[in-house]
Amino acid sequence: MIWLTWRQHRKQALFTLGALALLAAIMVPTGLAMHAKYDSLGLAACRAALGTAPLVTQTEAVARCESLGHQFQDRFSGLVFVAVLFVVLPVLVGVFFGAPLVAREVEQGTHRLVWTQGVSRRQWAVAKFGLVGAITAVLAIGYALGVSWWFQPLVGATTGRLTYISFDVQGIVPVAYTLFALALGVFAGTYWRKVLPAMGIALVGFAAVRVAIEVLARPRYLPAQSLSFSPGGTQTPNPASGDWVMQQGVRNAAGDMVLPDAQIGPCPPSGCGAGPGPREAGPGAYNWLQYQPGDRFWLFQGIETGIFVLLAAALLFFALRRLRTIA
């Protein structure tokens, strides 16, 4: 049964390996260039010197670190759009591997031949789901390791690992997303027994669940922390902390938000000019941030991985139950 499953899906596996090889041909040279530039600029040492405290004293070291980060971004910021491709890749597994796994057999009627040759539905499903799932997991782990290495300099020079897209393509969550996409495709194929509808449902379902968890659940895995600092003081948010800033603004002395999505600094001797400054916000105003600390990255990765692995297991369970009703 395992040999039959391999023969049925070997073309898909070889095509996937070819696509990953092509992707590696793009990632390796660009990744090496980014790592070399990151090291030559001294960004790693600069950010290490600033530490991970949410606030630091405004010094030349802070300004220099931010300047180096801007230099890196000016050269490589265009590659951030490549990361969007990495976000999309897991769903393709569900669409092109998971959905046809059962739907194509049922649509073409070949499942009846196997089930009448002394192979039970459960044996058939375990062999198919197990082999394809194992291959998918191995490929997903390799993909996740490669993308994490490639993306590391971009994250180090910009906003940190907890922000959208950065979080989604690093660590262990890409593996969980891929397994969930595969399970969702298999489940869709047991209900919509034609390949194209199953592929469409897998695509839409994956996008809906991913967006819902990313927007509604992830910011609430742990309570966010708040930070206040004076516009005229010497303290400033640490550009090396990796904190995920979720909201920011300026509050007046009573604590009411008066300038949302803004931060103000001290007025220069010549006056505040047209931009927001302490005078515009009123006496006693202060800058305010709501954020998730950057050191929660691996904890959030573990939580989100657990959610998607449990969803994948539940979908496979219901897919196995659904197979009993297929004639």
Side-chain angles (χ1 to χ4, degrees):
M1 191 63 212
I2 293 177
W3 174 246
L4 175 62
T5 302
W6 165 248
R7 285 181 61 86
Q8 286 180 313
H9 300 284
R10 61 184 176 181
K11 288 184 179 180
Q12 290 171 296
L14 293 175
F15 175 79
T16 303
L17 285 174
L20 290 176
L22 179 61
L23 189 62
I26 299 173
M27 290 173 56
V28 170
T30 55
L32 290 173
M34 287 193 294
H35 278 269
K37 186 65 174 178
Y38 191 85
D39 293 339
S40 67
L41 287 173
L43 265 167
C46 178
R47 297 178 74 84
L50 293 181
T52 58
L55 286 177
V56 292
T57 302
Q58 182 69 49
T59 62
E60 290 184 5
V62 175
R64 178 177 176 274
C65 202
E66 291 182 315
S67 175
L68 292 176
H70 291 315
Q71 290 181 46
F72 185 90
Q73 292 176 56
D74 289 342
R75 179 169 177 179
F76 295 107
S77 60
L79 291 177
V80 174
F81 295 101
V82 178
V84 177
L85 172 64
F86 299 147
V87 174
V88 173
L89 284 179
V91 72
L92 299 182
V93 174
V95 171
F96 293 106
F97 275 75
L101 198 63
V102 175
R104 179 174 290 130
E105 297 271 8
V106 176
E107 187 175 14
Q108 296 176 352
T110 53
H111 65 296
R112 296 190 185 95
L113 176 62
V114 178
W115 293 348
T116 56
Q117 300 298 314
V119 178
S120 69
R121 300 184 184 211
R122 176 168 294 184
Q123 289 174 319
W124 179 84
V126 168
K128 269 189 165 291
F129 299 174
L131 181 61
V132 174
I135 293 173
T136 299
V138 170
L139 294 177
I141 290 171
Y143 150 78
L145 290 172
V147 174
S148 295
W149 168 81
W150 182 87
F151 211 68
Q152 185 269 327
L154 283 171
V155 172
T158 54
T159 54
R161 296 186 295 177
L162 276 174
T163 54
Y164 297 121
I165 296 183
S166 298
F167 184 90
D168 302 331
V169 300
Q170 293 193 96
I172 56 177
V173 291
V175 180
Y177 297 155
T178 305
L179 294 176
F180 167 72
L182 179 68
L184 180 60
V186 171
F187 175 76
T190 62
Y191 271 81
W192 291 270
R193 301 173 190 178
K194 292 185 180 295
V195 174
L196 289 180
M199 293 171 74
I201 293 298
L203 177 62
V204 173
F206 180 87
V209 174
R210 282 277 287 105
V211 170
I213 290 181
E214 184 166 318
V215 174
L216 301 177
R218 189 186 301 165
R220 297 172 176 82
Y221 289 159
L222 287 177
Q225 297 185 7
S226 297
L227 185 67
S228 303
F229 56 100
S230 170
T234 60
Q235 296 288 295
T236 185
N238 186 354
S241 66
D243 296 337
W244 176 20
V245 178
M246 302 163 64
Q247 288 183 303
Q248 63 177 345
V250 179
R251 296 183 180 273
N252 61 20
D256 301 320
M257 184 73 72
V258 292
L259 292 173
D261 299 319
Q263 299 282 272
I264 57 176
C267 290
S270 58
C272 285
R279 296 174 190 171
E280 285 73 13
Y286 57 91
N287 291 316
W288 173 85
L289 297 175
Q290 186 181 58
Y291 69 101
Q292 292 285 359
D295 59 9
R296 291 179 175 177
F297 173 77
W298 284 111
L299 177 59
F300 277 32
Q301 285 266 317
I303 293 171
E304 193 150 315
T305 296
I307 291 172
F308 278 95
V309 168
L310 287 175
L311 288 174
L315 287 167
L316 288 178
F317 172 77
F318 287 114
L320 286 170
R321 289 177 59 90
R322 183 67 180 172
L323 281 176
R324 300 175 187 175
T325 67
I326 296 177

